[in-house]
Amino acid sequence: MRTSSDSTLPAYDALVLGAGIIGTSTALHLQQRGLSVCLVDWQAPGSGTSHGNAGLIERASVVPYSFPQSPLALLRYAANRQTDVHFQWRALPAMAGWLWRYWRESAPGPLEQAAQDMLPLIERCVTEHDALIQAAGLQNLVRAAGWIDIYREPAAFAAAAADARALAGRYGLQADVLDSAALAAREPALLPHARMAGGIHWLDPWTVSSPGKLVQGYADLFCRRGGTLIHADARSLRPNTSGGWQLATPDGDLQAAQAVIALGPDAPELFRPLGYALPLAHKRGYHLHFQPSPDAPPPRHPLCDSRAGFVLAPMEQGVRLTTGVELALPDAPINRIQLTRAERIARQYWPLGQAIEAEPWMGRRPCTPDMRPIISAAPRHPGLWFNFGHAHHGLTLGPASGRLLAEMMTGEPTFTHPAPYSAHRFL
């Protein structure tokens, strides 16, 4: 590790700003390639957006989450009474341009291209996680048993079953199509009066019982291997006089030849002052845990109610109920309406216990309108790199994205062509 001539702190090859799943994975991959790395965040690793998801390493999610195209669906959402999507009316003018582009990118042709562009990352998600899980000794947090998409309406289930068979055949995925009896056998605690139509059990994904602990475990591995973790405010990043980057801390300035912005929803606070008008929006989401009991056991697998847009996931803390998408202004207070609606539906078929927390957790998914992350060199600043915008799949894609960026930064051959993720597409 080099020593800076103008600071009492060591100088590094790379600063990675953000200790969520994306930043921590990036730091590990750079470290594996021989770079001295400092991982910087103002809070503990994995305690932000990476903490609050449904715990899915989603190998089966080969089609990005798109904007509805059907006029009937658009009319239904316009009433703002759905569980899977809720919006704050006064947020829409500020988001109108982003939403318009998201809608256009969700048309069949662009969506198919987005799926093909994302496939190399999705295909590597389990194997890249597995390498870190084994190295960090975190096998106790992970199950290779998949998750179940459940359906209450026969017509929706029939359509989903046909789609699942087509996707499984096209992409080599494993999926069990479960009628109501088979679904009840696989999840015996489903309430018998619920009259579920059926479910799709996606077998390739892995699930995590504590996403926050997983990221913390990856950060611990990074530190055991000689990496440095510092708590500091990443917003002080600026170019230094030697052509690299520096970051102010209470103990002095950190110096590095390269810097990576991996701050998820907070990335605009760094890239906008540098002159980058990248279209990164936030989809807010919530979770709340419910106490299991002998009469209310956790599900054997995460259960996703696609129509209502929520997941019931067995976690260390209890049964986690996660919500779909809320579109709101950054300073909007917590809104429990989606959780209330989701809980009401979930209790119709699952014996949820009492809520554990008095207040729900709220997080922000960083999303681009073309449904691809930004994994790229900063076009106008040598030595600056971007790794953010992973939307609903930050946990899924963290290690694969970290590997791709590390290959780019060190000049290695990349496992896939990085052009679809370049920041240039927005400039």
Side-chain angles (χ1 to χ4, degrees), residues 64 188 191 205 227 235 242 260 294 318 391 420:
L191 295 173
R235 290 175 295 184
S242 60
V260 180

Side-chain angles (χ1 to χ4, degrees), residues 86 93 150 154 156 219 235 281 304 330 410 419:
H86 186 265
I150 59 175
R235 290 175 295 184
C304 176
T410 57

Side-chain angles (χ1 to χ4, degrees), residues 233-300:
D233 188 344
R235 290 175 295 184
S236 66
L237 181 73
R238 62 191 183 276
N240 63 21
T241 57
S242 60
W245 295 86
Q246 66 186 48
L247 183 78
T249 79
D251 299 319
D253 286 349
L254 294 173
Q255 308 282 340
Q258 302 187 86
V260 180
I261 298 177
L263 288 165
D266 294 319
E269 296 190 47
L270 269 72
F271 67 68
R272 284 176 183 161
L274 294 171
Y276 295 100
L278 302 173
L280 195 72
H282 303 156
K283 295 179 183 177
R284 304 208 312 183
Y286 299 85
H287 80 227
L288 193 65
H289 294 102
F290 293 83
Q291 182 67 51
S293 70
D295 297 325
R300 294 180 176 179

Side-chain angles (χ1 to χ4, degrees), residues 58-65 111-112 114-119 122-123 167-168 170-173 202 393:
E58 235 306 51
R59 173 62 184 87
S61 189
V62 292
V63 179
Y65 289 96
L111 181 61
E112 170 65 20
Q116 293 308 307
D117 287 343
M118 291 301 296
L119 189 60
I122 294 290
E123 287 178 329
L167 287 174
R170 181 177 179 184
Y171 294 104
L173 300 172
W202 296 100
H393 292 315

Side-chain angles (χ1 to χ4, degrees), residues 147-374:
W147 62 277
I148 302 177
D149 212 355
I150 59 175
Y151 293 88
R152 291 169 280 138
E153 299 88 7
F157 172 56
D163 289 344
R165 293 186 180 100
L167 287 174
R170 181 177 179 184
Y171 294 104
L173 300 172
Q174 301 179 75
D176 289 344
V177 176
L178 310 172
D179 62 16
S180 58
L183 176 60
R186 204 150 297 189
E187 289 289 349
L190 279 166
L191 295 173
H193 63 265
R195 298 181 181 177
M196 306 301 294
I200 313 297
H201 187 175
W202 296 100
L203 300 170
D204 298 276
W206 288 11
T207 61
V208 181
S209 62
S210 178
K213 275 190 179 180
L214 186 78
V215 180
Q216 180 66 64
Y218 288 175
D220 291 343
L221 174 64
F222 168 74
C223 293
R224 288 199 301 271
R225 289 176 168 178
T228 302
L229 173 63
I230 289 181
H231 295 288
D233 188 344
R235 290 175 295 184
S236 66
L237 181 73
R238 62 191 183 276
N240 63 21
T241 57
S242 60
W245 295 86
Q246 66 186 48
L247 183 78
T249 79
D251 299 319
D253 286 349
L254 294 173
Q255 308 282 340
Q258 302 187 86
V260 180
I261 298 177
L263 288 165
D266 294 319
E269 296 190 47
L270 269 72
F271 67 68
R272 284 176 183 161
L274 294 171
Y276 295 100
L278 302 173
L280 195 72
H282 303 156
K283 295 179 183 177
R284 304 208 312 183
Y286 299 85
H287 80 227
L288 193 65
H289 294 102
F290 293 83
Q291 182 67 51
S293 70
D295 297 325
R300 294 180 176 179
H301 312 83
L303 304 177
C304 176
D305 188 316
S306 290
R307 177 64 184 268
F310 65 80
V311 176
L312 288 175
M315 295 280 178
E316 286 188 354
Q317 303 96 321
V319 179
R320 178 177 291 183
L321 173 63
T322 71
T323 68
V325 171
E326 182 189 39
L327 303 176
L329 293 173
D331 60 349
I334 286 176
N335 187 339
R336 297 186 64 128
I337 188 169
Q338 285 176 290
L339 275 171
T340 300
R341 291 172 176 172
E343 181 184 347
R344 186 182 304 121
I345 294 169
R347 287 188 182 279
Q348 295 174 14
Y349 52 77
W350 195 268
L352 286 175
Q354 294 298 311
I356 294 173
E357 303 97 347
E359 292 296 326
W361 175 89
M362 188 274 288
R364 299 166 296 152
R365 308 174 183 99
C367 303
T368 64
D370 67 356
M371 296 161 283
R372 301 161 178 86
I374 299 173

